Amino acid sequence: MKLSQFKFDLPLNLIAQNPTKKREDSRMLVVNRKTGNMENKHFRDILEYFDDKDVFVVNNTKVFAARMYGRKEKTGAKIEVFLLRELNGPKRLWDVIVDPARKIRVGNKLYFGDDEELVAEVIDNTTSRGRTIRFLWDDDDASFKKMLESLGETPLPKYIKRTPDAEDKERYQTVYAKYEGAVAAPTAGLHFSKELIKRCEIKGIRFAELTLHTGLSTFRPIEVEDLSKHKMDAEYFQITEEAAAIVNKAKETSHRVCSIGTTTMRAMESSFTAQKFLKPTEGWTNHFIHPPYNFSVADSLVTNFHLPKTSLLIMTCAFAGYDLTMEAYKKAIKDKYRFFSYGDSLLVI
């Protein structure tokens, strides 16, 4: 399939700028792959579609304060530095994206904080906007992480046209987030409240947790028309023995396995056996899923409504079918569903 087939027109007023008051009150469009039937629901209604011993697989990655603002030495020009990942802890080396990139060269020093509490030096170019920087910090790891947290802000996507506030620190994070390392929230999981999780568990639905640290690769524009030529950046993931056991028991007993989000799906589709059981593993994945594709582990999917021409939309089409997904998006626009990170959800069964 071609990239241009995944384009659609979205009214700007449907891009959610804030989360719903209660997580589970977001709307949910339910799409049945076999019948093509579509229903307008709320996320709290997800209980109607799953039973005792079914499994929800979630991504327990935790978003960190990845966006920082600093000033360039001498000129004082304001620079946005987006932390992608730590390359070397003891040496304080980080892979980052800088904006505006044309002003930042190897050897430049960047100053952060009103009193220049933190200084970094640019030591390498990685891509047109990518840089490797070294933070000049002699104190211990704990104080360094505390400094990054105090100077950084919640990395809301750019299409949210406002400054992050205190509420975003909680709401741009799943209630089960555990392991820090993501620069973007696994947004399908944002719809779960602790109360809804408890109600699911009372019904007998089990939760299996895996980790995939969402990087900018997931959101980086696809620049090739031929999807088979697109290369994703690698992202760290881990599937524990415990998670695999929960998922595989459901599969062995013909119970449902629902992937909560596309990042969760990518992790599972990066590690399964010849018998299509989930395999415990730890490593990196650059797996890009696009139609046609045969999924091995999950038989249902919760996801948000995504940007046109993104890997997230393309994966949804691979799972639900291209025509059905694009029909669902048309309905979502007509029925004024809220789109993107703080938007509503799509359940594909």
Side-chain angles (χ1 to χ4, degrees):
M1 296 194 75
K2 304 297 183 186
L3 180 64
S4 53
Q5 293 175 260
F6 298 91
K7 184 182 177 186
F8 63 91
D9 294 322
L10 179 70
L12 293 179
N13 67 314
L14 295 185
I15 300 173
Q17 297 297 307
N18 293 280
T20 52
K21 199 165 185 180
K22 290 177 68 178
R23 290 175 184 265
E24 65 266 43
D25 284 351
S26 57
R27 296 170 70 198
M28 179 173 71
L29 179 60
V30 183
V31 176
N32 188 307
R33 289 190 290 173
K34 288 179 182 170
T35 65
N37 188 46
M38 299 185 196
E39 298 177 278
N40 291 324
K41 294 283 188 174
H42 287 89
F43 193 76
R44 59 181 177 268
D45 301 322
I46 195 167
L47 283 159
E48 297 175 14
Y49 298 90
F50 296 92
D51 296 310
D52 181 32
K53 297 186 178 61
D54 288 341
V55 171
F56 289 160
V57 190
V58 300
N59 181 4
N60 63 16
T61 188
K62 190 173 186 178
V63 180
F64 65 97
R67 184 174 282 122
M68 302 174 67
Y69 294 96
R71 295 199 172 274
K72 186 183 171 188
E73 63 177 333
K74 297 178 184 173
T75 66
K78 188 177 180 182
I79 303 295
E80 178 186 310
V81 176
F82 197 98
L83 304 176
L84 291 178
R85 65 178 177 227
E86 187 178 56
L87 298 174
N88 185 309
K91 293 183 179 178
R92 315 282 186 225
L93 291 178
W94 280 77
D95 188 13
V96 304
I97 284 177
V98 294
D99 189 27
R102 67 183 184 282
K103 295 183 178 180
I104 304 303
R105 296 185 174 88
V106 173
N108 286 160
K109 282 193 170 64
L110 305 174
Y111 296 86
F112 302 91
D114 294 338
D115 299 318
E116 300 180 352
E117 301 96 311
L118 186 61
V119 182
E121 181 181 11
V122 181
I123 64 169
D124 197 10
N125 297 324
T126 53
T127 62
S128 58
R129 293 172 58 217
R131 302 289 185 273
T132 300
I133 65 173
R134 177 192 292 118
F135 287 103
L136 309 180
W137 185 265
D138 296 327
D139 214 335
D140 60 22
D141 286 349
S143 62
F144 176 60
K145 289 291 168 69
K146 195 172 180 182
M147 180 60 71
L148 289 185
E149 179 70 27
S150 68
L151 293 174
E153 70 175 31
T154 304
L156 293 183
K158 292 283 190 176
Y159 50 72
I160 295 179
K161 306 293 185 184
R162 60 178 178 80
T163 304
D165 57 27
E167 184 190 27
D168 293 308
K169 270 196 166 182
E170 180 209 346
R171 291 303 301 273
Y172 195 64
Q173 201 83 270
T174 63
V175 297
Y176 45 75
K178 285 182 183 171
Y179 303 112
E180 195 171 88
V183 301
T187 55
L190 297 181
H191 307 288
F192 280 101
S193 65
K194 287 181 179 176
E195 293 77 17
L196 181 58
I197 289 173
K198 181 58 71 179
R199 287 172 59 207
C200 290
E201 289 173 340
I202 289 169
K203 189 169 183 180
I205 298 167
R206 298 202 64 188
F207 282 77
E209 297 184 10
L210 55 75
T211 307
L212 185 141
H213 290 324
T214 321
L216 280 186
S217 166
T218 305
F219 306 97
R220 197 186 296 281
I222 298 174
E223 295 174 339
V224 290
E225 178 68 1
D226 181 353
L227 295 181
S228 66
K229 291 184 167 55
H230 176 62
K231 299 288 186 286
M232 290 188 75
D233 296 335
E235 294 169 322
Y236 170 85
F237 78 108
Q238 181 182 36
I239 298 169
T240 63
E241 297 268 1
E242 180 186 8
I246 293 170
V247 170
N248 293 338
K249 186 173 182 182
K251 288 177 70 71
E252 286 165 357
T253 53
S254 300
H255 287 94
R256 307 285 296 281
V257 175
C258 181
S259 175
I260 308 299
T262 56
T263 57
T264 303
M265 187 72 88
R266 281 186 63 227
M268 289 193 287
E269 290 298 314
S270 298
S271 183
F272 58 87
T273 67
Q275 292 75 35
K276 299 191 174 182
F277 287 109
L278 190 59
K279 184 166 69 174
T281 191
E282 179 181 10
W284 296 79
T285 180
N286 62 354
H287 193 24
F288 174 45
I289 298 173
H290 58 89
Y293 185 87
N294 293 318
F295 288 82
S296 296
V297 183
D299 53 45
S300 47
L301 170 70
V302 173
T303 187
N304 276 28
F305 292 99
H306 303 295
L307 282 159
K309 302 202 293 189
T310 55
S311 64
L312 311 174
L313 170 62
I314 291 167
M315 183 197 291
T316 305
C317 287
F319 187 79
Y322 174 81
D323 291 336
L324 186 57
T325 302
M326 299 313 280
E327 278 301 312
Y329 269 62
K330 279 182 193 169
K331 178 175 171 58
I333 292 169
K334 176 175 167 287
D335 292 348
K336 294 187 165 37
Y337 276 72
R338 288 152 41 92
F339 274 65
F340 308 155
S341 294
Y342 274 152
D344 296 316
S345 61
L346 174 70
L347 168 61
V348 184
I349 57 175

